[in-house]
Amino acid sequence: MAIPANRGHMLARISRAAMVPLWTAQVPTAVKSFERNGVIGSRRLNQWGLHTARVTLAHRIAAARRRRLTGLVSAGDRDAFARDGFVVRRDFLPPPEFDALRAQLTAYRGNLREIAEGDTIMRKLALDPKTLAALPALRSVLHSPEWRGLIRYVGSRDAEPVVWIQSILRHAVDGPPDPQTALHADTFHPTVKAWLFLTDIAEDSGPFTYVPGSHRLTEARLAWEYRMSLDACHSPDREIRRGSFRIENDALAALGLPQPRSFAVPANTLVVADTFGFHARGPSAGRSLRVEVWAYGRRSPFVPWSALDPWTGAGLARRSLIGWRIGDLLARAGIKPHPWHARVGISAFDPA
């Protein structure tokens, strides 16, 4: 039996009102979605400055945390990060250690997962304790002071990141263009991602790109954030509605920013970046394969302390595996399709 329109409208208003306490409680957290949170997505509240207040406060707290972590990196790395928003380290590992790492990962046949993003396949291998035990060269990398120091300093948290072995296979399936090729900021506050490239990256094979200096919260950037927040909830772009703002290349100059830098780099190059800065996967002329040790750190932006984080690397890996298994159960029960498909018997370096 159909619900009368006026009654349905009233029920929707009641349901929305019931969610307001939860939405409000999420404001001082890392929640970023404009479409799923009626407070964060409120045009009126963002006209009054809600989004820009969250952005400003998060950046001030991150800067204070980062100042307490300066001893983890060199003065040169601090200067490079302050200027560009990223740190690049070529020949990160001694050649014998890098060769051992590649050999172990090429031979490893673990339980990988794949997801399609447009015409691109992203493949991930979660690094639980069992996997790391089979990859001693990788375990050494993750415990090295330079790896740990750079990720913690750029991320402004003395905390473990999530780490995967990640493969990006461009033009691997039929589909729309890869959505990650659009310049974007991951979220409204400083976060860290790191890429230790295990393959050579050519200019025309989907390199990582980053707009130097776009991690800084300038007056122009804050004004842009304000404008974006007003209509983000109803944007035709799903990623913008979810809080990952997109920007066109020709709009960068108005923010005082240069064009993106492309990281066409040899294998054994480490890049650590603040992904509040604008970044993307670069274009790929044809099929290509990019393999990397990939790390990602995003903690609550409004926590003032830099340490005292309960999550260990092993704990984060187990949480990821549990999420995949829950997705499998929901898919088997016919409740919700699971986009991450299990792949057995292949390595991170195998073609699609």
Side-chain angles (χ1 to χ4, degrees):
M1 181 171 148
I3 298 175
N6 59 346
R7 185 181 174 190
H9 181 66
M10 182 180 67
L11 290 174
R13 291 183 63 181
I14 292 172
S15 175
R16 185 176 177 84
M19 291 297 295
V20 168
L22 174 61
W23 290 338
T24 303
Q26 290 177 334
V27 169
T29 72
V31 170
K32 65 175 185 174
S33 177
F34 287 76
E35 67 176 347
R36 296 179 181 175
N37 184 301
V39 171
I40 290 171
S42 167
R43 179 181 177 88
R44 178 173 296 180
L45 291 177
N46 287 323
Q47 285 176 327
W48 292 345
L50 174 61
H51 176 69
T52 53
R54 294 180 86 214
V55 173
T56 302
L57 181 59
H59 280 74
R60 287 177 179 171
I61 293 174
R65 289 195 306 257
R66 194 175 286 122
R67 284 194 293 269
R68 294 193 286 270
L69 300 173
T70 55
L72 298 179
V73 295
S74 68
D77 287 337
R78 293 197 297 271
D79 291 343
F81 173 73
R83 180 187 65 242
D84 298 325
F86 55 80
V87 177
V88 182
R89 182 80 77 253
R90 294 200 178 206
D91 300 316
F92 178 65
L93 296 175
E97 294 181 23
F98 181 75
D99 292 344
L101 175 62
R102 267 196 60 126
Q104 290 174 17
L105 284 169
T106 301
Y108 186 75
R109 296 292 188 273
N111 187 10
L112 296 93
R113 296 278 177 149
E114 291 181 348
I115 188 172
E117 294 188 317
D119 62 0
T120 296
I121 290 177
M122 182 164 60
R123 181 183 292 162
K124 287 184 180 290
L125 171 64
L127 302 179
D128 61 337
K130 180 180 177 181
T131 300
L132 279 175
L135 302 169
L138 177 59
R139 188 169 51 196
S140 296
V141 172
L142 303 186
H143 286 92
S144 70
E146 193 169 18
W147 166 273
R148 292 166 62 89
L150 282 169
I151 289 176
R152 282 157 169 74
Y153 179 77
V154 172
S156 79
R157 292 295 296 272
D158 188 7
E160 288 289 332
V162 178
V163 183
W164 311 79
I165 300 302
Q166 177 170 276
S167 307
I168 308 295
L169 299 96
R170 301 294 299 276
H171 302 298
V173 292
D174 292 331
D178 182 350
Q180 300 304 323
T181 56
L183 280 175
H184 62 280
D186 281 352
T187 188
F188 67 93
H189 60 92
T191 59
V192 63
K193 285 183 178 176
W195 298 259
L196 173 56
F197 296 110
L198 303 177
T199 50
D200 293 333
I201 311 298
E203 186 68 42
D204 63 351
S205 63
F208 173 66
T209 65
Y210 192 97
V211 178
S214 60
H215 67 304
R216 292 192 292 268
L217 187 61
T218 62
E219 289 185 8
R221 176 65 181 274
L222 191 60
W224 181 85
E225 292 281 336
Y226 173 80
R227 294 192 298 272
M228 291 292 294
S229 72
L230 299 183
D231 298 310
C233 183
H234 302 293
S235 171
D237 189 310
R238 181 181 67 172
E239 298 300 328
I240 291 176
R241 295 196 305 271
R242 291 180 174 181
S244 178
F245 289 170
R246 266 53 184 159
I247 189 169
E248 298 293 335
N249 287 44
D250 57 10
L252 293 171
L255 301 186
L257 295 171
Q259 289 299 296
R261 171 178 167 180
S262 177
F263 288 84
V265 294
N268 199 18
T269 297
L270 174 68
V271 178
V272 185
D274 175 359
T275 51
F276 175 75
F278 297 124
H279 61 285
R281 293 177 193 152
S284 180
R287 288 198 169 200
S288 62
L289 171 65
R290 193 178 96 193
V291 185
E292 58 217 13
V293 181
W294 181 85
Y296 160 75
R298 184 188 296 174
R299 297 294 199 275
S300 175
F302 302 112
V303 171
W305 52 84
S306 56
L308 303 176
D309 189 278
W311 287 103
T312 64
L316 290 167
R318 282 192 290 266
R319 186 176 70 175
S320 300
L321 291 170
I322 290 170
W324 279 346
R325 289 164 186 156
I326 292 173
D328 291 340
L329 291 173
L330 293 176
R332 284 197 291 268
I335 298 172
K336 182 181 179 182
H338 192 195
W340 285 98
H341 302 290
R343 294 289 183 262
V344 180
I346 63 174
S347 86
F349 292 87
D350 285 343

